[in-house]
Amino acid sequence: MQKSLNIDPGKCTGCLQCEMACSLENEGVFNTSKSRIKVFTFHEEGKFVPYTCTQCDEAWCMHACPVDAIVVNAVTGSKDVISDLCVGCKVCTIACPFGTVNYNADSGKVVKCDLCGGDPQCVSACPTNAITYVDANATGLDKMRQWAEKTDNTVGG
Amino acid sequence: MIYVVVGSGPAGVVATEQLRKLDPLAHITMIGAEPEPPYSRMAIPYFLTSKIDESGTYLRKQAKHFASRNIDVVQQRATSIDTEFNRLITDDGRVRRYDKLLIATGASPVVPPVPGIDSPGVHNCWTLEDAREIVKLAKPGASVVLMGAGFIGCIILESLALRDVNLTVVEMENRMVPRMMNDVSGNMIKSWCEQKGVTVHTSTRAESIEQIGGGKLRVSLSTGGTVDADLVISATGVAPNLGFASDSGLRTDQGIVVNDYLQTSDADIYAAGDVCQGKDFNTGEYSVQAIQPTAVEHAKVAATNMVRGHRTEHVGNVNMNVLDTIGLVSASFGMWMGVPGGESSELVNEKEHKYLNLQFKDDVLVGASSLGLTQHVGVLRGLIQSKTSLGLWKDRLKKDPMRIMEAYLACSQSQVSAATA
Amino acid sequence: MAWTRQILRVNLTEGTCIAEPLNMDWANQYLGQRGLATRYLVDEIDPKCDALGPDNKLIMATGPLTGTMASTGGRYSVITKSPLTGGVACSNSGGFFGAELKSAGWDMIIFEGSSPRPVYLNIENESASLEDASEIWGKSCWETDEVLHAKHQDPQMRVACVGRSAEAGCLFSAIVNDLHRAAGRSGVGTVMASKNLKAVSVRGTLGVGNIKDPARFMESIAAGKKVLAENAVTGEGLPALGTQVLMNVINEVGAMPTRNMQEVQFEGAHKISGEAMLEPRASDGKPNLTRNGGCFACTISCGRISTVDREHFSVKEKPQYWGNSGGLEYEAAWALGSDTGVDDLDALTYVNFICNEDGMDPITFGATVAAAMELFEAGVITTANTGGVELKFGSAEALCWAVEQSAVSEGFGADLNLGSRRLCEKYGRPEMSMTVKGQEFPAYDPRGIQGMGLAYATSNRGACHLRGYTVSSEILGVPEKTDPLATEGKAGLVKAFQDATAAVDSAGLCIFTTFAWSLDDISPQIDSACDGDWSPERLVEVGERIWQLERDFNMKAGLTGADDTLPDRLLKDAAKSGPAKGKVCELGSMLPEYYQLRGWTTDGTLTAETRSKFGLPA
C-alpha cells in the first residue's frame, strides 16, 4: 500500500522542527530556508500550515522537465529530482501549480520533497503529530487532488 | 493504427509516449530533421556553460528509450502531405501512410532584415549545432554582440558572461524581455545586466553588419556608433515552421490553426507545440505560445485525441515563462500586462532587484510577473488556472503581494481553508 | 563548533558594520549568549557610563544551540547596561529572530556609539548595512514590522524593533521581535532607541552547521524532546494552559502579589487564569485562546495566541485589534491583572497587545500602574494628574487608558514611563515602589515563597523570576520539593538555580525546559554540538562564572550589598491571608549564608580568591 504525508494544520504549533529535520536530511545543515516542507503562519487567524508536495499523479513538474530529470520513485511513488540530470532551467517551478518545486540558487538545481526515500524526517521530528505518514487512502489527499484536477488539461489521458 | 509524428522536440517526444501508453499495438514513427538524438533547446544555455555535456541536453536519457517502446525514430525532413490519401512525403522521397499525423515541427529563428546578417561570424542560438559554433567563437576576451534581448537572448547571457567575453546587447524595444516583462521589471533586468558588466542598448536596432577583416565584424547601431565584434548572435525571435503544412493545404495563420481538440483543418492531422496556434487559457483566443510546458501539454492532449475512443478538450494554456538572466530569475504568467477593467498590485525594490506584479480581474488572479522570486512561484500558475476566488485576500494582496503563498493556501487548498476559515 | 565564530560590530556613530572573529577563549569560559555577551560588555564599556549615552553598548547574542534542532534552541538575549537599574541588563527572547540571526552567520551583534539620525540595521547573511529609518521612526513595532517586510519583500525576514514608547524614553521599553516576542525587561529597548537604532531586520539562509558530533547530537536532542513530551508540566500543562497554568496554583499557595503587593491572594484570579482563557465567551462563543504556538524549534509551545472579544469596550471601535496576536503569559496576566486588581480578561489581553505593539515590558508597566493606583487611592496623585481618570485598583478602563498613554508617552503616560521607583520618588512616596534595584517584581510574593525573596534581592538585573526560579522546587517540587515557607537551605537552592539558569540561557535554550530537564539532559546536547567538554559539572562552573561576572560589573557600576534587599512592605508587613498568613520575607536569615556560598565578603563584595577562582577580568 502506498503511503503519503498527511498534514493536519490544526495540530501545528509553528515550531519548524519539520523544516530543520528536512534541511538536515537533505542539505546536511539546520537551515529552514532550504527545507522542502514549509510552515506558513497566518498571524491574524492564529494558524500554522505546513505545506509540501503531495506527489500528485499528474506530476506537472515531471512532464514539464525538458531533460527527463524528474522520475517516479518505484518504491514510494514520490516524484524525485535526479540532481545530476537537472540543468536548473526552472520550467518545473512554474509548471507545478502547487508551488512545491523550488529553485536552489546555491546548487543551481531544483529541489522538491522525495519523502526521504520512505522515511520522512519531518514526520519523526514533529512534536504534535501534525505531520504523519500513513496509507494514502486514509488521508485527505483526495481532497487536495480534487483541486489539482481543476488545473488538469488531460483528464482523459 | 499507424501514427506519424513530425518533429522530435519535447512535443514530438511526449506525443509518441502518450500514443504508446494509450495504444500499445500501434505503429509509431517520429521524424526529426536534425542530425541529433531528440534534445532540449531549453538545455542549450547549460551546455554553453559546460554545466552539462551534449548528452545532458537529450530529452530522454536511456539509450533504448524509444526502441524499448517500439517507437521508430528517423532522421528525415518532411516535405509535403498528401491529405487526400493520408500520406507523408519526406526529403528522401519516401512516402509514409498514416492513420493520424501530428505536426510538431517547432519554430526557427527569424532572420532580421539587416544587411550583412549572412556574414560569417553571425550565428543564431537555436540548435545544438549553433551552440557548437558559439562555443568555438566565444573565447575569453572576444567581443560578442547579441542582437535581441528576448527570452532566448537573455537565457544565453549568463553562459556568454561566464565565458569572459565582452558582451554588448542590442534590443529594439525600450526594455529587456519585452514579451515577458513590463517597463519597470524589464529595465530592472537591464540594470542588473549592466551591473554585471554587460553593455545594453535598448530602443536600438542593428542597422548593418560589415566584415572588417581579421574575422572581425562591425555592427552599426541606429543610435549612431558602432561595435566591433568577433561574434554576432542573432536572437531576434522565432517563427513557427509552417512551410510544408501550409503548402499541403492546411489552414495556417500565425501557426497551424487548430480546434479545441488540437485538430487541424484536416481531421486526421493534429498539431502541437511551437508550430501550433492553440487556445490561450486567459484570453480564449488562439495564439502561438512557443513555450516548453505548453508544448508538452499540447502533445498530451493531441496524442490522446489521435487515439480512437478518446476525446479530450484542450482548455487552453496559461502563457508563462521563467528565465534566468545572469542569476536574476524572472517569471511571468498569463495576463501579466493586465486586463481592461482589472486591478493590480505591484512591489518594486530596485536596489535588490526584487519585483512582484499581480493582475486581477474581479477577485481572480489573471496574471503575474516577478523578479528574484524562486520559492513557490508555481502557485501563481495554480491560482490563475484554477480561477480561484480570492475573496478578502485580494485586498490583502493589493496591500502586500508577497503574501501570495498565504492567499493560495487559504483560498485553494480545501484542507487548509477549512483550517483557516 | 556550533558557534558561527563571527560577530558583527556595528558602529552607529561612524555608520560602519564590520565582521570580526569570535573570541573563542571567552566562548570556552562563558559558552555563548548571556555569558559570552556579558564578557564582551564588561571588556568594552565603563560600568559607570550613562546607560542612555553613546558610551553604552548593546549586544544581541545567540547561543551555540540557537538555530539548531535542539528543543527551544531559538533564543537570543540583549545585553547592555540598564537605564532602569544601572546594572547589567540581560533580556532573553524567543520567537524566530535569534535563529534567523544565527542562520545569517552571526553569533552576536555589538552596537556601539549612537547614530546621528534614525537608522535600522539590515542583514542578509554576510552583508549588513545601516539604512535610513525615517520611514519607520515614530511608528509602532507592528507597523515597523509591516513596513520593513513590504520594503524588503521577503516574508521570511525577521524583525526586532522598538516602539514609540522607547523613542519617547520610557525606561522599561522592550525590543519586540516577530510581533509578539520580546526581550522585555530592564529597558533594553530604551537603550536601543537612545542610539537612534529603530530596528534590526535579518534574513539568514546559510543555516547552522558545524555540529561537533552530528549523530550524537541528534540522539541527545531526540532524548531531550522525549523527556519534555513525557513531563506533566512541559508535555501537558504548558502546551494546554501556557505559563498561565500557574495563576490558580500560585494564588492558592498565597503568593499572588495583589494590588501593588499589599495582599498575597487575588479574589479574581480564576477570572484571568489559563483555565479562564479556554472558556467560551458570551458574545461569540469563542474562547480567549485560539491555540498555542511555538517559538523556533520549541517542542513545548507554551505561547498563547488569543483574541479580544470584539464587543469589549477596549476594541469595539478598533477592528485592527480583532485578529489574533500574542496572548497573556502568566507574568503579564499577573502584573496587568492581580497587581492592579483588574479581573477583566479581555482588558488584560488588549493591554498586553498594546505592550507588544509599542514595546513595553508588561511586568514593569503593570506594576507601575499598580503603584500609581496606590498613590491615587492615597490621594497623592489626583484626577488633576490623570486628566480626570479615576486611577483606582480594579478599574479596567483606567488600565486601558494608562497603556494607551504610556505607549505614546502622552499626559500621565510620561510619568508612568519612569517606572514605579522614579514615579513614587517623584511623588514623595518611595516606599510604594515594589522594586529591587529599580526593577519591579514578577508574580511570586516572597512572603509565600521565601526562596524567591533571596532570589529577587540578589538578582543581578533587579527583581526577576528568571535569574533563579526556586518556585520550581518550592511549589512544583522540581527537582525536589522544599517548603516554601522555610528559609533553611534556601541560600544553596537559590545559588544552584542561579548558576544553572545562567548556563541554560548561555546555550541558547529556554529556561522553561528545566521544568523537565536537569543539566544531565542538557549537557549531552551542548557537549555533542560544541568543541570542548561540557559536562554538567562544567556547566555549573560556567554558570557560576557568569553570575560572578555580572555581579562584578554591577559593583563596578556603583551598586553595593545594600542594594541586595527588598521593599519594607515585604520585610515588615505580614501576609494577610492564605498559607503564608502572618509571614514576612525573612531575607536576613538567608542573605549572609548566600554571600558565604558565593565567596563574597559580608558586605557582598567579591573576594580576591573568588575573582581569581573564576578568572574574572581586573
Side-chain angles (χ1 to χ4, degrees):
Chain A
M1 169 57 71
Q2 198 155 310
K3 293 171 88 176
S4 71
L5 290 178
N6 185 37
I7 293 176
D8 179 355
K11 288 181 177 169
C12 177
T13 64
C15 74
L16 309 188
Q17 282 271 339
C18 55
E19 295 193 11
M20 277 182 285
C22 178
S23 64
L24 184 71
E25 173 73 15
N26 293 297
E27 311 283 339
V29 60
F30 298 115
N31 187 349
T32 55
S33 72
K34 296 269 164 65
S35 173
R36 292 141 198 218
I37 184 165
K38 290 299 293 178
V39 179
F40 290 88
T41 300
F42 291 77
H43 186 259
E44 269 182 53
E45 293 83 354
K47 302 283 178 194
F48 304 98
V49 182
Y51 186 68
T52 190
C53 174
T54 61
Q55 314 297 346
C56 66
D57 290 337
E58 295 78 7
W60 284 271
C61 60
M62 187 169 81
H63 296 304
C65 178
V67 292
D68 214 13
I70 302 179
V71 299
V72 181
N73 182 313
V75 177
T76 64
S78 62
K79 315 297 181 292
D80 298 352
V81 177
I82 310 292
S83 206
D84 287 346
L85 296 182
C86 174
V87 297
C89 77
K90 311 168 200 67
V91 169
C92 55
T93 71
I94 60 169
C96 168
F98 304 101
T100 51
V101 194
N102 293 314
Y103 179 62
N104 178 346
D106 294 342
S107 64
K109 315 268 184 184
V110 297
V111 291
K112 69 178 290 299
C113 172
D114 61 1
L115 299 174
C116 297
D119 180 18
Q121 293 301 298
C122 53
V123 171
S124 359
C126 179
T128 62
N129 293 323
I131 313 167
T132 47
Y133 192 49
V134 297
D135 286 349
N137 288 349
T139 71
L141 201 62
D142 288 344
K143 283 185 199 158
M144 298 181 81
R145 285 179 175 169
Q146 278 169 14
W147 184 84
E149 281 170 12
K150 289 168 73 177
T151 323
D152 195 359
N153 260 338
T154 54
V155 181
Chain B
M1 289 290 280
I2 301 171
Y3 301 110
V4 175
V5 173
V6 187
S8 60
V13 167
V14 169
T16 57
E17 290 164 354
Q18 179 77 354
L19 288 167
R20 176 56 74 222
K21 188 171 140 192
L22 298 182
D23 195 345
L25 299 176
H27 188 266
I28 302 172
T29 304
M30 178 166 70
I31 300 175
E34 287 184 52
E36 329 277 356
Y39 70 92
S40 166
R41 299 198 200 289
M42 287 296 295
I44 286 179
Y46 308 95
F47 169 66
L48 287 179
T49 59
S50 308
K51 188 170 178 176
I52 51 174
D53 59 18
E54 282 194 15
S55 67
T57 69
Y58 295 167
L59 282 161
R60 295 294 178 259
K61 298 295 193 271
Q62 307 289 335
K64 305 242 184 264
H65 178 88
F66 297 103
S68 69
R69 284 164 179 74
N70 197 18
I71 295 166
D72 291 340
V73 181
V74 296
Q75 189 210 318
Q76 282 152 13
R77 186 176 290 276
T79 50
S80 66
I81 310 167
D82 171 1
T83 53
E84 192 177 347
F85 296 102
N86 281 19
R87 295 189 301 185
L88 176 78
I89 297 98
T90 47
D91 57 356
D92 58 348
R94 183 159 172 187
V95 177
R96 273 191 187 75
R97 211 192 67 73
Y98 61 81
D99 291 312
K100 301 286 177 190
L101 176 73
L102 179 70
I103 304 178
T105 47
S108 294
V110 296
V111 180
V114 175
I117 192 75
D118 51 357
S119 307
V122 181
H123 290 272
N124 294 313
C125 186
W126 187 244
T127 62
L128 257 181
E129 185 53 29
D130 293 336
R132 293 181 193 117
E133 289 302 311
I134 290 170
V135 168
K136 276 186 217 158
L137 291 169
K139 298 262 190 288
S143 289
V144 178
V145 171
L146 175 64
M147 293 168 55
F151 181 84
I152 307 289
C154 283
I155 208 163
I156 60 171
L157 266 183
E158 178 166 25
S159 42
L160 293 171
L162 278 177
R163 301 184 79 84
D164 273 332
V165 300
N166 298 316
L167 192 56
T168 304
V169 177
V170 181
E171 167 60 43
M172 271 169 40
E173 301 281 339
N174 67 343
R175 60 188 190 272
M176 295 184 74
V177 237
R179 280 178 194 80
M180 227 179 116
M181 291 284 135
N182 62 18
D183 282 0
V184 178
S185 49
N187 278 303
M188 284 166 77
I189 298 180
K190 178 181 173 183
S191 82
W192 172 271
C193 290
E194 287 170 341
Q195 279 179 24
K196 301 279 174 188
V198 177
T199 306
V200 183
H201 298 285
T202 46
S203 303
T204 304
R205 276 176 294 110
E207 300 224 303
S208 66
I209 302 167
E210 179 187 357
Q211 298 182 57
I212 55 171
K216 290 260 183 193
L217 299 164
R218 177 162 293 166
V219 182
S220 302
L221 305 178
S222 60
T223 49
T226 59
V227 186
D228 289 352
D230 301 291
L231 167 65
V232 174
I233 299 173
S234 174
T236 54
V238 296
N241 291 323
L242 293 176
F244 92 100
S246 53
D247 293 349
S248 306
L250 296 180
R251 259 189 74 202
T252 60
D253 178 27
Q254 291 173 355
I256 297 174
V257 172
V258 292
N259 64 14
D260 288 348
Y261 299 88
L262 298 178
Q263 206 168 21
T264 67
S265 53
D266 182 299
D268 290 333
I269 304 178
Y270 292 75
D274 291 7
V275 75
C276 169
Q277 188 171 342
K279 192 191 249 184
D280 182 290
F281 177 84
N282 288 96
T283 62
E285 290 167 11
Y286 296 81
S287 59
V288 174
Q289 289 186 340
I291 56 172
Q292 163 94 15
T294 296
V296 169
E297 290 183 25
H298 276 175
K300 287 183 78 181
V301 173
T304 302
N305 288 329
M306 286 162 73
V307 178
R308 193 190 314 239
H310 292 269
R311 191 164 167 84
T312 288
E313 187 175 344
H314 177 241
V315 297
N317 290 101
V318 174
N319 199 4
M320 57 189 176
N321 245 320
V322 62
L323 173 63
D324 188 332
T325 311
I326 325 183
L328 179 61
V329 178
S330 54
S332 70
F333 297 85
M335 308 303 288
W336 55 268
M337 68 305 281
V339 293
E343 293 170 78
S344 67
S345 170
E346 185 180 52
L347 263 184
V348 185
N349 183 342
E350 300 220 12
K351 194 176 149 201
E352 296 174 48
H353 289 94
K354 288 185 191 167
Y355 180 79
L356 182 59
N357 181 310
L358 303 179
Q359 296 290 339
F360 308 95
K361 174 74 176 168
D362 303 321
D363 74 342
V364 171
L365 187 74
V366 293
S369 54
S370 67
L371 286 186
L373 193 73
T374 58
Q375 302 300 298
H376 314 297
V377 280
V379 303
L380 294 167
R381 178 207 174 166
L383 282 172
I384 292 169
Q385 194 142 5
S386 60
K387 296 185 177 171
T388 298
S389 180
L390 292 165
L392 59 85
W393 277 94
K394 187 182 81 170
D395 283 336
R396 291 180 180 173
L397 288 173
K398 284 185 75 176
K399 215 170 153 196
D400 182 1
M402 290 302 290
R403 298 182 72 185
I404 189 72
M405 192 60 198
E406 284 172 75
Y408 165 82
L409 287 172
C411 301
S412 299
Q413 299 275 314
S414 56
Q415 190 182 11
V416 173
S417 45
T420 55
Chain C
M1 284 186 263
W3 299 278
T4 70
R5 297 171 184 252
Q6 281 268 97
I7 69 176
L8 177 64
R9 185 176 294 278
V10 178
N11 188 311
L12 293 158
T13 309
E14 306 289 331
T16 55
C17 301
I18 294 166
E20 59 182 53
L22 184 71
N23 185 325
M24 290 309 295
D25 285 343
W26 290 353
N28 282 322
Q29 293 176 58
Y30 294 93
L31 189 52
Q33 225 231 36
R34 172 177 164 187
L36 187 53
T38 305
R39 184 64 187 82
Y40 272 89
L41 190 79
V42 163
D43 197 61
E44 298 193 13
I45 73 165
D46 174 359
K48 291 198 155 57
C49 74
D50 174 5
L52 300 179
D55 294 337
N56 193 7
K57 297 190 183 186
L58 180 133
I59 304 177
M60 291 181 172
T62 67
L65 297 193
T66 305
T68 73
M69 214 169 140
S71 186
T72 78
R75 303 193 73 89
Y76 78 105
S77 273
V78 181
I79 293 88
T80 187
K81 176 172 168 160
S82 166
L84 199 63
T85 69
V88 68
C90 172
S91 292
N92 191 311
S93 182
F96 298 85
F97 176 85
E100 197 74 24
L101 178 62
K102 182 81 173 282
S103 203
W106 304 104
D107 285 318
M108 61 172 85
I109 316 171
I110 301 178
F111 293 99
E112 52 193 34
S114 173
S115 172
R117 69 193 73 79
V119 290
Y120 71 95
L121 176 68
N122 184 52
I123 299 176
E124 284 175 42
N125 294 338
E126 56 282 332
S127 97
S129 60
L130 290 167
E131 307 284 339
D132 175 44
S134 48
E135 196 184 351
I136 45 178
W137 196 258
K139 288 194 158 44
S140 72
C141 298
W142 291 0
E143 288 173 298
T144 298
D145 192 284
E146 188 177 340
V147 170
L148 290 182
H149 272 98
K151 182 174 172 188
H152 292 281
Q153 297 178 18
D154 190 342
Q156 304 295 318
M157 186 181 79
R158 308 291 185 179
V159 174
C161 61
V162 294
R164 292 174 292 183
S165 71
E167 292 178 19
C170 165
L171 288 173
F172 48 87
S173 288
I175 297 173
V176 176
N177 57 277
D178 306 295
L179 300 174
H180 50 80
R181 289 281 146 194
R185 302 225 70 191
S186 314
V188 294
T190 320
V191 175
M192 181 161 154
S194 77
K195 297 185 172 306
N196 261 333
L197 178 64
K198 177 68 177 177
V200 180
S201 51
V202 186
R203 180 71 174 118
T205 60
L206 303 176
V208 177
N210 288 334
I211 300 297
K212 181 171 76 181
D213 183 344
R216 189 157 67 92
F217 181 70
M218 291 307 288
E219 268 170 42
S220 55
I221 65 157
K225 282 163 67 174
K226 189 159 181 282
V227 171
L228 292 177
E230 289 170 357
N231 178 277
V233 178
T234 54
E236 294 166 32
L238 285 174
L241 298 172
T243 51
Q244 276 271 65
V245 70
L246 289 164
M247 178 66 73
N248 289 328
V249 176
I250 301 297
N251 198 45
E252 274 165 35
V253 302
M256 173 66 63
T258 301
R259 285 178 277 273
N260 203 31
M261 306 189 89
Q262 296 178 90
E263 296 149 73
V264 296
Q265 287 183 310
F266 180 44
E267 65 287 355
H270 65 282
K271 295 189 188 169
I272 60 171
S273 66
E275 290 83 351
M277 290 167 72
L278 305 179
E279 293 295 321
R281 294 187 282 246
S283 61
D284 59 4
K286 288 183 182 165
N288 173 281
L289 182 76
T290 301
R291 65 159 305 118
N292 64 326
C295 294
F296 184 91
C298 178
T299 58
I300 304 174
S301 297
C302 72
R304 304 292 91 184
I305 299 173
S306 288
T307 56
V308 181
D309 185 344
R310 292 180 187 192
E311 298 296 314
H312 189 263
F313 75 85
S314 59
V315 300
K316 200 159 187 181
E317 309 296 326
K318 301 174 188 166
Q320 68 268 35
Y321 298 111
W322 290 356
N324 282 274
S325 195
L328 290 167
E329 315 293 339
Y330 171 55
E331 296 300 331
W334 160 78
L336 303 172
S338 159
D339 207 33
T340 65
V342 175
D343 62 6
D344 176 341
L345 185 61
D346 284 298
L348 305 193
T349 306
Y350 167 72
V351 173
N352 193 56
F353 280 10
I354 303 296
C355 284
N356 287 333
E357 184 180 25
D358 262 304
M360 289 99 75
D361 168 13
I363 300 179
T364 287
F365 169 76
T368 302
V369 172
M373 285 173 164
E374 191 175 345
L375 287 167
F376 187 89
E377 294 203 343
V380 180
I381 58 177
T382 65
T383 50
N385 302 99
T386 62
V389 173
E390 296 281 334
L391 194 55
K392 287 183 173 167
F393 282 118
S395 169
E397 290 78 6
L399 178 68
C400 293
W401 163 83
V403 82
E404 288 162 8
Q405 295 272 299
S406 185
V408 293
S409 210
E410 273 176 18
F412 191 67
D415 275 358
L416 289 172
N417 286 350
L418 295 169
S420 73
R421 185 172 80 181
R422 290 165 180 82
L423 175 79
C424 293
E425 281 170 356
K426 177 176 174 177
Y427 289 98
R429 300 293 293 273
E431 75 281 8
M432 288 188 181
S433 166
M434 295 298 112
T435 51
V436 175
K437 302 181 175 80
Q439 177 158 287
E440 288 71 11
F441 284 90
Y444 311 87
D445 196 296
R447 288 167 290 199
I449 310 176
Q450 293 286 327
M452 286 307 291
L454 179 62
Y456 293 144
T458 58
S459 156
N460 287 324
R461 68 169 192 182
C464 175
H465 55 300
L466 295 173
R467 300 294 97 164
Y469 191 74
T470 59
V471 176
S472 265
S473 164
E474 296 180 271
I475 304 299
L476 303 171
V478 178
E480 55 189 9
K481 186 78 173 81
T482 53
D483 178 358
L485 300 178
T487 56
E488 201 181 337
K490 293 295 166 66
L493 187 72
V494 167
K495 176 178 178 294
F497 270 91
Q498 288 174 336
D499 295 346
T501 300
V504 173
D505 284 348
S506 299
L509 299 174
C510 176
I511 194 64
F512 292 172
T513 56
T514 58
F515 286 118
W517 285 352
S518 70
L519 289 180
D520 290 338
D521 298 297
I522 295 171
S523 152
Q525 303 187 40
I526 304 175
D527 188 62
S528 57
C530 301
D531 268 347
D533 153 46
W534 298 96
S535 63
E537 299 72 30
R538 178 87 194 293
L539 289 172
V540 169
E541 177 201 320
V542 167
E544 181 162 15
R545 179 178 295 118
I546 293 165
W547 192 267
Q548 299 283 2
L549 182 73
E550 291 173 340
R551 173 75 174 190
D552 194 40
F553 176 89
N554 283 353
M555 301 308 264
K556 288 174 177 165
L559 294 167
T560 68
D563 295 300
D564 296 337
T565 188
L566 302 174
D568 277 356
R569 180 166 293 170
L570 306 176
L571 299 173
K572 294 179 180 163
D573 300 351
K576 293 172 187 164
S577 68
K581 186 172 179 183
K583 296 279 285 184
V584 297
C585 178
E586 295 166 36
L587 177 65
S589 67
M590 300 181 279
L591 194 61
E593 186 191 353
Y594 175 84
Y595 279 7
Q596 197 187 355
L597 289 172
R598 279 280 176 218
W600 299 345
T601 63
T602 50
D603 65 359
T605 325
L606 281 73
T607 62
E609 293 81 7
T610 301
R611 301 185 61 83
S612 123
K613 180 179 169 192
F614 292 102
L616 299 189

